[in-house]
Amino acid sequence: MSVMDSLLAFTFAATLLTLTPGLDTALILRTATVEGRKEAFKAQMGINTGCLIWGAMVAFGLGALIAVSELAYNILKYCGAAYLCWLGLNMLLRPRRSFAAVDASDTKSQNWFIKGMFGNVLNPKVGIFYVSFLPQFIPQGQPPIAWTFGLVFIHLLLGTCWSTLLICATRPLASFLRKEKVIRWMDRCTGMVFLLFATRLALSKR
């Protein structure tokens, strides 16, 4: 896969994943609705910081892993493919009817940047997802650390654009994204993408 093909494929997949309603979406919508736009943007910056921290841990760990051990890389590859396959099947066969809301008892005294950051840093699923998803988009012969950071920044840019749209149009988008049909459709589409990438990851070579 060429550099451009990798970037286009990752951008497409990351866009779909970003648009799928989840905990981050719930946090942004709730904060924008109850606390206002300023606090919602703080929450978004916190979410980005949490993703960047996970990205740094994955980048340096992945870079060392690829450089030192082909066996370890293959184990990681197959574990990642299995995880993506499991996640994809669950989303495809058992799509959600709603996405979790954020606790309404939160108050304005809270630091929404910290809340958004720790919401991601303390969520091991973010790290597992990065480890299983990012390696397959690193072209052969390219530096894994630099590429991992590059892909993470693309993900952050997409997330920032989507969150900004959510914050600026909170009410109509919130109503649309909470519809059961929309959530089920998005989950099924994302599940199919996960299965495709799981197959590709399992068949890829170092």
Side-chain angles (χ1 to χ4, degrees), residues 1 3-12 14 18 51-52 55 58-59 62 129-130 133-139 143-159:
M1 175 179 286
V3 170
M4 185 58 65
D5 288 340
S6 295
L7 291 174
L8 291 176
F10 176 79
T11 301
F12 169 75
T18 299
C51 289
L52 189 58
V58 172
L62 179 62
F129 177 77
Y130 271 13
F133 194 68
L134 296 182
Q136 61 187 299
F137 295 100
I138 301 176
I145 293 178
W147 262 85
T148 301
F149 272 115
L151 296 178
V152 169
F153 275 111
I154 291 175
H155 182 218
L156 294 183
L157 178 61
L158 293 170

Side-chain angles (χ1 to χ4, degrees), residues 56-71:
M57 291 189 288
V58 172
F60 291 112
L62 179 62
L65 187 65
I66 293 176
V68 172
S69 173
E70 182 173 0
L71 175 61

